[in-house]
Amino acid sequence: MSIWVIFKLLGSLALLMFGMKSMSEALQKMAGPQLRYALSTMTTNRFTSVLTGTFVTAAVQSSTATTLMTVSFVNAGLLTLMQAIAVIMGAHIGTTVTAWIMSLVFSVNMSAVVYPALFLGIILIYMKKRRIVGDFLFGVAFFFLGLMTLKNTGLSLMEDGETYDAIKTFFFHFNDLTFWNSFLFLLMGTLLTLCVQSSAAIMAITMMLCATGVLHIDQGIMLVLGENIGTTITSNIVAFNANTSARRAAFAHLSINVVGVVWGLIFLKPFFGLICQMVGFDPAMSPQDSGFAFQSAIVLATFHSTFNVLNTLLLIGFVPLIERFVCWVIQPKQTDDEEDFRLYFITSGIMKTPELSVLEAQKEIRSFAERMQQMFGMVRDLVHEKDENAFAKGFARIEKYEGISDNMEIEIAKYLNEVSNAHLSDETKAKMRAMLREISELESIGDACYNIARTLNRRLKGKEDFTESQYNHMHQMMELVNEALTQMNSTLVGYREQNDVNRSFNIENEINNYRNQLKSQNINDVNRHAYTYAIGTMYMDVIGECEKLADYVVNVVEARMGTRQKGV
């Protein structure tokens, strides 16, 4: 085999994988909100979940994309684990459509599709409003161009008699359907898919090898089974740093395919014979026979579809059992989530569509906001604390939370900047800008909480104390601020039109008026020596910082609602 042929094989695989990626990403961008709606609402029971997974995967031409979306939705709390397992089963059926599309290359000259798609694609890419459609057409063109080149390279191998005979002789030693031969090709399919991270690419190679007669059809079937296991690795890698539910969903993906491969191995001979009868294929056919290439591709596509449909039908009734099994295997991490910094919903790994990325960032911002209200609650507890050891412990917790708020702002901003590198709509860009402002203001809330705690710490070290009246005023002010934080967290949940922004503005005005009242009263109290100037200064520092905190709260609400208070 010449070095030129090797480069043609590698190049055609690169074209195929790039085409699949471009086509899938473009479809996800075009149907992002609809896919999100389908996955989050059309999953009322396990059967509708299977259908949803099937149609979504067939639409985006990528079971990996559907599985990653499903894992992310579980991570974000939009899907239950049971719904996710059924969606993943459907994704296994939907991905078989790709094999049928590939089989067309062995019977139809796809040049009639490739070159017009390239021509129209380049025109649409330069039209801003149609760029995504152009990306899709480019993906389609590269996908079929890669398949055609792969097919032609395989056929050229047949013309090189010496190389062809050497490769065929090597694989001939493993023709018998023994357990070890089957296991070898199963492992080969798994490892190749794991390395390439594309079951479609390995399926294309398998079809090419079988079509040229280099690989016996039953060996090709074992490669297909191996690909089913290898394709599950991606979701498990991505879910590694996700929450427990997401890791369970990814492990369920692996478990379902492993169970399917086990029964597939047990009934391989009769199952293989049934598939050959269904398509009218004679395993004794020669590669030189007319129609051999097309029929071998049809056998692989039929096997792939039939196997995944049967596996889903066999396991659909055991979804609750699968759920219990993965919950038993994947136990929650024994960490104090509240006290440790980690992102709950934003997961590392393969970048997803902007629509899904925005969803994850929004969920993370809600978690950020909830943490800031918890931090303010710690500050309120610290106000009346007189014991130095207990105060030191509470102050250390607040100090730790201030560091957490800094880290969360940086990590969420970094994630949003990565997402912004993709082609975004004007609406998504506006959401990105709003979320960047939200996290900046939330971090300022953390700073304000820490500043209040530092003031209280100065008061304790100075061996001074507030008067009963000052304690009552601080308690009332902090009650208003906590109400503002509660309203803010309510605003961050659900749709904008469901929230009343005026409620936050009213609380803010009430806090401003109360601050002004206390400021005037403090001057009078210091003048009549009700307390020292030093304790009066610390008292007003606490009141002033509470008022600043409320301003940051209103800024978060404005960013979320896309409004600005009049006169501010």
Side-chain angles (χ1 to χ4, degrees):
M1 184 187 299
S2 68
I3 191 71
W4 174 243
V5 174
I6 294 175
F7 278 127
K8 282 185 71 177
L9 284 171
L10 294 175
S12 59
L13 275 179
L15 280 173
L16 170 66
M17 292 171 66
F18 178 76
M20 280 290 294
K21 183 175 182 291
S22 300
M23 184 169 58
S24 178
E25 287 181 351
L27 284 167
Q28 290 177 65
K29 288 174 185 175
M30 284 190 285
Q34 288 77 12
L35 293 178
R36 172 181 163 186
Y37 174 80
L39 283 175
S40 60
T41 61
M42 298 174 66
T43 50
T44 52
N45 57 63
R46 72 188 73 166
F47 299 102
T48 57
S49 297
V50 168
L51 290 175
T52 301
T54 301
F55 289 124
V56 168
T57 306
V60 301
Q61 283 298 295
S62 173
S63 62
T64 300
T66 303
T67 306
L68 288 179
M69 280 192 283
T70 304
V71 170
S72 298
F73 279 23
V74 173
N75 193 53
L78 295 177
L79 287 179
T80 65
L81 180 58
M82 188 175 294
Q83 289 172 324
I85 292 171
V87 169
I88 289 169
M89 286 181 173
H92 294 159
I93 298 174
T95 193
T96 63
V97 173
T98 308
W100 286 101
I101 294 174
M102 289 179 178
S103 65
L104 289 175
V105 176
F106 293 93
S107 61
V108 179
N109 183 3
M110 301 306 295
S111 299
V113 173
V114 171
Y115 299 110
L118 283 172
F119 176 72
L120 288 174
I122 195 65
I123 294 175
L124 293 174
I125 282 176
Y126 283 99
M127 296 171 61
K128 188 177 179 181
K129 292 184 178 180
R130 295 286 183 268
R131 183 180 182 121
I132 296 176
V133 179
D135 288 340
F136 170 71
L137 290 175
F138 250 59
V140 170
F142 282 126
F143 173 68
F144 282 115
L145 186 60
L147 282 175
M148 288 166 53
T149 309
L150 194 65
K151 171 193 168 186
N152 294 334
T153 305
L155 294 175
S156 68
L157 277 177
M158 296 181 69
E159 298 172 3
D160 184 356
E162 186 177 344
T163 304
Y164 177 76
D165 291 339
I167 298 174
K168 188 173 181 180
T169 301
F170 171 78
F171 284 115
F172 181 78
H173 293 97
F174 305 99
N175 272 358
D176 294 336
L177 272 176
T178 63
F179 173 81
W180 290 112
N181 284 348
S182 299
F183 181 77
L184 173 65
F185 281 90
L186 176 72
L187 183 63
M188 192 184 302
T190 302
L191 293 176
L192 286 173
T193 306
L194 174 60
C195 293
V196 177
Q197 288 291 297
S198 171
S199 59
I202 306 304
M203 172 64 83
I205 293 175
T206 304
M207 283 187 170
M208 184 270 290
L209 292 174
C210 290
T212 56
V214 168
L215 198 66
H216 197 270
I217 194 69
D218 55 12
Q219 295 169 335
I221 283 175
M222 292 312 303
L223 284 177
V224 171
L225 288 177
E227 292 156 17
N228 270 24
I229 297 177
T231 194
T232 65
I233 305 298
T234 302
S235 58
N236 280 272
I237 292 173
V238 171
F240 184 76
N241 291 322
N243 62 23
T244 302
S245 295
R247 287 186 289 119
R248 286 170 175 170
F251 184 69
H253 186 204
L254 174 63
S255 303
I256 291 166
N257 279 5
V258 168
V259 170
V261 168
V262 169
W263 72 255
L265 284 172
I266 294 172
F267 300 103
L268 184 59
K269 286 188 178 180
F271 190 33
F272 175 60
L274 176 64
I275 296 299
C276 290
Q277 280 188 329
M278 285 173 61
V279 300
F281 178 76
D282 184 1
M285 282 180 69
S286 167
Q288 284 74 33
D289 293 339
S290 176
F292 175 83
F294 176 64
Q295 281 195 290
S296 62
I298 289 295
V299 168
L300 291 176
T302 305
F303 175 85
H304 196 207
S305 297
T306 307
F307 169 77
N308 282 292
V309 169
L310 286 178
N311 194 41
T312 298
L313 291 176
L314 287 171
L315 296 180
I316 189 67
F318 297 98
V319 169
L321 186 63
I322 295 171
E323 181 185 31
R324 288 199 294 271
F325 171 69
V326 297
C327 288
W328 174 72
V329 174
I330 307 292
Q331 296 291 330
K333 293 179 180 178
Q334 298 299 317
T335 58
D336 189 349
D337 288 336
E338 183 183 311
E339 296 297 324
D340 293 319
F341 165 68
R342 68 182 291 263
L343 298 180
Y344 294 108
F345 305 106
I346 291 175
T347 54
S348 60
I350 297 174
M351 184 59 64
K352 306 162 199 71
T353 60
E355 178 70 25
L356 186 56
S357 300
V358 167
L359 171 69
E360 291 185 339
Q362 285 174 340
K363 295 286 287 186
E364 202 66 70
I365 290 171
R366 290 173 199 166
S367 173
F368 191 0
E370 289 168 3
R371 281 196 171 198
M372 291 304 95
Q373 187 167 13
Q374 290 171 6
M375 185 180 181
F376 185 70
M378 296 174 199
V379 173
R380 295 179 71 187
D381 293 339
L382 211 60
V383 171
H384 295 281
E385 187 58 65
K386 301 290 177 33
D387 182 76
E388 289 189 10
N389 291 331
F391 187 97
K393 186 177 180 181
F395 184 76
R397 283 187 75 199
I398 292 169
E399 200 168 30
K400 185 173 184 178
Y401 262 65
E402 202 276 331
I404 288 174
S405 71
D406 290 343
N407 288 330
M408 290 193 77
E409 180 194 16
I410 292 169
E411 291 302 319
I412 297 173
K414 187 188 298 183
Y415 181 75
L416 291 173
N417 285 331
E418 289 176 0
V419 175
S420 66
N421 292 328
H423 302 308
L424 303 175
S425 64
D426 291 338
E427 182 184 357
T428 304
K429 287 178 182 176
K431 287 181 181 178
M432 294 285 185
R433 288 192 295 270
M435 286 190 287
L436 285 170
R437 185 184 175 202
E438 287 169 21
I439 60 174
S440 175
E441 300 297 339
L442 286 170
E443 192 276 333
S444 296
I445 291 174
D447 289 343
C449 289
Y450 183 52
N451 289 337
I452 296 172
R454 288 171 63 191
T455 301
L456 296 173
N457 190 39
R458 285 204 329 267
R459 186 267 306 167
L460 187 68
K461 287 182 177 180
K463 304 298 182 182
E464 297 192 72
D465 201 4
F466 298 119
T467 65
E468 190 65 31
S469 175
Q470 286 175 322
Y471 274 121
N472 289 336
H473 293 153
M474 285 190 293
H475 174 74
Q476 190 172 347
M477 174 63 86
M478 289 184 172
E479 190 66 36
L480 286 171
V481 173
N482 192 61
E483 187 180 349
L485 285 165
T486 301
Q487 185 64 27
M488 177 192 75
N489 278 309
S490 175
T491 304
L492 291 173
V493 178
Y495 296 99
R496 294 181 183 182
E497 56 271 16
Q498 295 174 339
N499 296 302
D500 182 12
V501 70
N502 291 320
R503 177 61 184 150
S504 293
F505 292 154
N506 291 338
I507 298 172
E508 164 65 5
N509 289 331
E510 192 174 348
I511 289 172
N512 287 342
N513 293 333
Y514 193 50
R515 186 274 315 269
N516 294 336
Q517 176 189 333
L518 294 179
K519 188 175 181 180
S520 299
Q521 185 177 339
N522 177 66
I523 294 172
N524 293 331
D525 289 342
V526 170
N527 287 334
R528 64 184 181 85
H529 304 292
Y531 42 78
T532 66
Y533 181 83
I535 200 69
T537 300
M538 286 185 277
Y539 164 63
M540 285 313 300
D541 283 346
V542 172
I543 297 298
E545 210 61 56
C546 284
E547 192 275 331
K548 284 182 185 177
L549 195 157
D551 287 341
Y552 301 140
V553 167
V554 169
N555 291 341
V556 172
V557 173
E558 287 178 348
R560 167 62 178 158
M561 302 297 291
T563 58
R564 185 167 291 278
Q565 189 176 7
K566 292 180 181 178
V568 176

